[in-house]
Amino acid sequence: MNDARVAAKVRVQIRRFSGKLSEELPKTARRMVGEVLHGIQSRGSVLLSEIARSLAEPVSLKKRIERLSRQLDRRGLDRALSRSLLQEAGGKLDDEALLVVDPTDIVKPHGRRMPYLAQVRDGSEGELREGYWCCLAVAAWRGRAEVVPLYQELYSQEAPCFVSENEQILRAVRRVRRHAGKKGTWVMDRGGDRIKLLKPLLQEKIPFLIRMRGDRAVYFARRRMIMERVAEQCPLRFRETVVKETDKGERIYQLDIGSRKVRLPGFERKLTLVVVRGFGQRPLMLLTTLEVTRSRKSHWRVVQAYLSRWRVEETIRFIKQSYQLEDIRLLSYRRLRSMAVLVMAAAYFACAYLGRDIRLNLLLHRVYRAAKRVYGIPEFRFYAIADGMKNILFTRHWRTVPATGSDPPLNAALPFDS
């Protein structure tokens, strides 16, 4: 199958996906959603000028940008799109899903005219810069390469509606649970060990796995102790080897693992503190509601669940790099929040939607090969998928109504070459 036919089929799938995503929106907004998703995939950019260039319209570029900008500013658009994305993605989750929630930064040092710019910590530089925060939720599984982007909300602590970072994280958890039910276990890094997060998680009986700081007080054997002291006295009965892929090659870790039963002050429920040595001078302390027995297997499952964060960190880099999220340049807070959801939808389309059945897997492999011919296959395969779609869609414009001999109509059968 040549690139033109692959491009036509990808456009059909973008139409179908955008149609599901925008079902509850007015016609003009539905049109915009399809156009923006196509533009993000074909140009690898969130710039409205680049997205507008991917459209085939007999009007000036300026008029196209103004129309897209006007629709992005629609009240409630971000919430409607986020709700539809969670409805679509929720069906992919099961009890084994690891639901990783993580705040990340969008640095805008030169965006002086952008609304509600706030101080954020630049994760790559470790410095305070002006920009926005994004709260993301991504699903992963032990022993599987699959990741499913679920949720992304852009926010600023300078905005009038902002309450707290804790509230942003809890909102992400509750919105995902509204569509996924009680499936999965929530995994958080050290920022999740605050009592204002732990208390509602325990009260609402939400299963979790959270990396803890050493100064958190717990009860162990009826004695109140700081967590680091409990970890120091924990016998490490099991040893495992982990290999992490980095930019500089493979890095091998020899891990010693053990556990203790503990209880947080003010709560009767017993939790398990899994202690891991081998990542650094201090032990890794993982507090979880998951059942941990005396077996090596149950301990290793907890460690594997936390290590799934490595793949989620790569997913965040994929979203930022493949779609140039940090290049976002919109002058309305509402538009910024809507674009952040559309970028997450584009990531879901690349990571999860194209592989949902056998026929689309065949299409996915053709997109994958398109990237291989030009770029080579990166270790993280979603970069290749995004590059492949950009390669085959870049010179082929989006049309609101498919022209004869171009895109097949929405309800047409899709013949796939073997």
Side-chain angles (χ1 to χ4, degrees):
M1 186 188 297
N2 60 32
D3 282 358
R5 293 187 65 191
V6 174
K9 295 178 187 302
V10 170
R11 284 197 296 266
V12 167
Q13 295 309 319
I14 292 174
R15 282 197 175 88
R16 289 180 174 167
F17 176 62
S18 68
K20 289 182 178 180
L21 206 62
S22 59
E23 275 181 339
E24 59 183 271
L25 299 176
K27 182 178 179 180
T28 51
R30 293 200 302 270
R31 174 186 174 184
M32 178 275 298
V33 170
E35 291 171 337
V36 171
L37 286 176
H38 175 269
I40 291 172
Q41 299 288 9
S42 67
R43 301 285 167 150
S45 175
V46 293
L47 292 178
L48 286 189
S49 56
E50 287 298 314
I51 293 170
R53 286 188 178 95
S54 72
L55 309 178
E57 290 186 52
V59 296
S60 68
L61 180 64
K62 181 174 180 290
K63 291 292 185 184
R64 292 180 231 171
I65 293 172
E66 288 174 350
R67 178 175 60 78
L68 293 173
S69 180
R70 190 166 55 249
Q71 290 301 322
L72 280 170
D73 205 34
R74 183 179 292 274
R75 187 182 297 276
L77 177 65
D78 59 324
R79 293 192 299 274
L81 292 174
S82 185
R83 186 163 54 247
S84 296
L85 180 60
L86 285 171
Q87 287 173 350
E88 166 70 25
K92 290 184 172 289
L93 305 182
D94 55 30
D95 292 338
E96 296 299 314
L98 303 167
L99 307 171
V100 183
V101 61
D102 195 32
T104 187
D105 58 90
I106 298 176
V107 177
K108 299 299 298 180
H110 307 296
R112 297 181 184 89
R113 295 175 57 199
M114 298 177 73
Y116 305 126
L117 283 173
Q119 291 286 299
V120 301
R121 180 168 292 280
D122 186 345
S124 57
E125 300 293 334
E127 299 176 354
L128 289 176
R129 311 280 290 276
E130 285 197 322
Y132 301 98
W133 290 104
C134 276
C135 186
L136 291 91
V138 177
W141 285 262
R142 300 179 191 88
R144 287 162 56 180
E146 182 182 6
V147 294
V148 178
L150 298 170
Y151 177 90
Q152 176 166 262
E153 184 178 10
L154 179 146
Y155 67 92
S156 165
Q157 60 265 42
E158 299 298 327
C161 57
F162 176 78
V163 178
S164 68
E165 185 183 57
N166 293 332
E167 181 58 33
Q168 292 292 149
I169 293 171
L170 289 171
R171 183 188 302 173
V173 172
R174 287 162 178 157
R175 286 184 177 177
V176 174
R177 279 174 62 85
R178 196 174 300 151
H179 298 278
K182 298 181 179 179
K183 299 174 184 174
T185 300
W186 286 90
V187 182
M188 300 184 201
D189 209 2
R190 276 177 293 198
D193 72 344
R194 311 160 198 167
I195 198 65
K196 289 187 177 180
L197 290 175
L198 290 166
K199 183 177 179 179
L201 292 176
L202 287 167
Q203 288 175 339
E204 298 175 31
K205 298 182 179 178
I206 298 173
F208 63 79
L209 168 62
I210 298 175
R211 182 179 177 182
M212 305 296 288
R213 298 196 317 267
D215 58 356
R216 174 71 62 197
V218 292
Y219 282 100
F220 168 65
R222 298 184 180 181
R223 293 173 56 198
R224 187 183 175 101
M225 303 170 63
I226 64 168
M227 202 164 284
E228 193 167 28
R229 182 65 59 85
V230 178
E232 288 172 355
Q233 298 177 4
C234 178
L236 307 178
R237 306 175 189 275
F238 310 110
R239 172 162 288 189
E240 296 286 350
T241 301
V242 170
V243 180
K244 182 179 181 181
E245 297 286 347
T246 68
D247 296 337
K248 299 178 181 179
E250 292 184 349
R251 187 169 180 181
I252 300 174
Y253 297 90
Q254 298 289 341
L255 306 181
D256 295 309
I257 307 168
S259 67
R260 290 292 201 190
K261 297 294 182 183
V262 298
R263 182 172 58 82
L264 288 172
F267 295 93
E268 294 301 321
R269 182 175 180 179
K270 284 190 176 181
L271 306 170
T272 303
L273 178 67
V274 176
V275 180
V276 184
R277 286 192 178 273
F279 285 118
Q281 291 185 346
R282 293 187 174 183
L284 181 72
M285 293 164 283
L286 305 174
L287 188 69
T288 183
T289 59
L290 297 174
E291 182 180 359
V292 181
T293 65
R294 294 172 179 264
S295 71
R296 175 191 297 269
K297 183 178 179 181
S298 67
H299 283 74
W300 179 234
R301 282 172 64 85
V302 171
V303 178
Q304 274 187 311
Y306 178 76
L307 296 184
S308 67
R309 283 190 48 79
W310 287 349
R311 274 179 289 147
V312 172
E313 289 168 4
E314 187 62 44
T315 303
I316 293 171
R317 283 194 292 272
F318 157 69
I319 292 169
K320 285 185 175 181
Q321 294 175 17
S322 292
Y323 304 127
Q324 299 179 29
L325 181 57
E326 289 194 325
D327 206 21
I328 192 168
R329 302 177 195 175
L330 297 166
L331 301 182
S332 155
Y333 192 55
R334 199 180 290 160
R335 294 185 191 115
L336 286 165
R337 287 167 59 85
S338 295
M339 183 62 80
V341 180
L342 284 165
V343 168
M344 200 62 166
Y348 175 84
F349 181 81
C351 294
Y353 187 84
L354 278 182
R356 74 185 192 279
D357 59 34
I358 294 174
R359 292 197 309 163
L360 291 188
N361 258 314
L362 294 173
L363 176 58
L364 181 60
H365 287 308
R366 292 185 176 102
V367 171
Y368 203 73
R369 289 203 301 269
K372 188 175 183 179
R373 287 200 298 272
V374 179
Y375 301 99
I377 297 298
E379 292 176 359
F380 188 65
R381 68 189 183 98
F382 299 127
Y383 288 103
I385 296 168
D387 285 343
M389 282 194 283
K390 180 179 176 181
N391 183 35
I392 63 175
L393 293 174
F394 189 83
T395 58
R396 296 171 176 88
H397 293 96
W398 177 265
R399 294 176 177 82
T400 306
V401 180
T404 304
S406 178
D407 291 358
L410 194 61
N411 58 356
L414 294 177
F416 283 81
D417 296 344
S418 58

